[in-house]
Amino acid sequence: MPLARIQIKGHMLWRGPHPIAEGAQKVDFVADEAYEVTPLAQGFADVLNQVASQGYARWEVGATQSVFGKNFAPFGLVQGRHFMEYDLVYMAHGMLFWGARNIDGRGFDKEENRPTNLQIPLVRR
């Protein structure tokens, strides 16, 4: 069951080669243009109304709100700081690979947490 639709807009900062594979690149994703959340399930909207009500209208299913530049505890967003992830990008044989999530649950919030493994590839159609 889908819980939410998230729209993030920003930039990719290319940081140079990543050692995972020849041609892989370190990339930082920065949400410096927009970050919007739309609850798609009533249970999720109810949770947001309990933990993310200050500075927001009442959360309702299908109603989009901007969390850009604001505190938004459910996603660890802090007012005045852009969301950013230290990731990697690798392309091979018409497939796009991103970094795989760390198995211990660490986010990609620091350079030392940048992924060291690849996810299952995306195929261009």
Side-chain angles (χ1 to χ4, degrees):
M1 169 192 281
L3 293 179
R5 181 175 50 248
I6 302 166
Q7 183 174 31
I8 301 172
K9 294 181 183 179
H11 292 89
M12 295 172 64
L13 307 173
W14 298 88
R15 301 298 191 190
H18 190 291
I20 190 72
E22 183 68 34
Q25 293 288 310
K26 294 178 183 179
V27 177
D28 299 345
F29 296 105
V30 184
D32 57 0
E33 293 182 4
Y35 200 133
E36 298 176 341
V37 177
T38 307
L40 300 177
Q42 188 59 54
F44 187 61
D46 293 343
V47 167
L48 292 180
N49 283 316
Q50 292 177 6
V51 300
S53 60
Q54 189 172 10
Y56 298 98
R58 179 159 179 76
W59 290 96
E60 297 183 17
V61 172
T64 300
Q65 293 195 57
S66 174
V67 298
F68 183 71
K70 301 177 183 178
N71 288 322
F72 191 67
F75 293 178
L77 302 179
V78 177
Q79 183 173 344
R81 268 197 331 210
H82 296 307
F83 171 78
M84 186 172 123
E85 284 196 334
Y86 297 83
D87 207 332
L88 71 92
V89 172
Y90 176 61
M91 292 193 64
H93 310 289
M95 296 179 289
L96 171 66
F97 297 81
W98 301 114
R101 292 288 163 190
N102 294 308
I103 60 171
D104 62 4
R106 284 175 294 132
F108 297 164
D109 59 336
K110 301 175 189 168
E111 175 63 38
E112 57 267 23
N113 292 345
R114 189 181 298 275
T116 57
N117 293 296
L118 298 171
Q119 283 187 6
I120 297 170
L122 302 172
V123 178
R124 184 180 297 181
R125 294 189 189 258

